[in-house]
Amino acid sequence: MASVEKVVEQSLLYDYYGELLTEHQRRIYEAAVFENLSLGEIAEESGISRQGVHDLLRRCDAKLTQYEERLHLLEKHEKNRTLCESIEKAAAELKSMYHMQETDRQVKPVNGDETTDCSLSCEENAGDEKQTLDFLLAQIRQLLEEI
């Protein structure tokens, strides 16, 4: 795993489960992950050996990972984020379709005839549009139920 990806994962796990660590563990973990201090700097600051800092960080990583394996809070957060993105996409499609529907109802010249009335074609398309809108609304409802 790349260094940046590991830091992001550590940060997310800490956001969810950091309060379950002791104050000492949190202080050391924050210094390493968020302040990007070296093992030597942390060891000097906290009065323990570099090896002690290294071991403590490994144990913290293992604990945070175990909490996620048992509770799945981060996994649930990602699922909800994906569902929300799907809802936003469906809502944008609805908005786009509504805008298209309103645009279609405007009178537009056809073959140079400025008085063309599109009300008949709008009525013909209304059934298809309603089915599509109903389908998208059903998808949104289903996504909301999953959250």
Side-chain angles (χ1 to χ4, degrees), residues 79-90:
K79 179 182 176 188
N80 286 342
R81 187 184 60 76
T82 301
L83 289 171
C84 286
E85 287 175 359
S86 297
I87 290 169
E88 288 174 358
K89 182 180 175 186

Side-chain angles (χ1 to χ4, degrees), residues 4 8 20 23 47 54 57 64 102 132-133:
V4 172
V8 169
L20 299 173
E23 179 62 34
H54 179 266
L57 291 173
L64 296 174
E102 290 299 310
T132 304
L133 290 172

Side-chain angles (χ1 to χ4, degrees), residues 29 41 50 71 73 128:
Y29 199 80
E41 292 170 320
R50 288 175 45 141
L71 301 172
L73 296 179
D128 292 339

Side-chain angles (χ1 to χ4, degrees), residues 66-114:
Q66 285 174 347
Y67 291 138
E68 175 59 18
E69 288 171 356
R70 291 180 180 148
L71 301 172
H72 306 286
L73 296 179
L74 185 57
E75 179 185 321
K76 290 173 186 174
H77 170 78
E78 284 300 311
K79 179 182 176 188
N80 286 342
R81 187 184 60 76
T82 301
L83 289 171
C84 286
E85 287 175 359
S86 297
I87 290 169
E88 288 174 358
K89 182 180 175 186
E93 287 181 38
L94 279 172
K95 182 178 178 182
S96 172
M97 290 196 66
Y98 176 77
H99 178 70
M100 286 176 20
Q101 183 179 4
E102 290 299 310
T103 304
D104 287 345
R105 292 181 191 270
Q106 295 175 1
V107 175
K108 299 176 186 174
V110 176
N111 297 332
D113 182 3
E114 297 294 327

Side-chain angles (χ1 to χ4, degrees), residues 1-10:
M1 181 181 311
S3 179
V4 172
E5 290 172 345
K6 178 151 178 68
V7 170
V8 169
E9 180 183 3
Q10 288 174 315

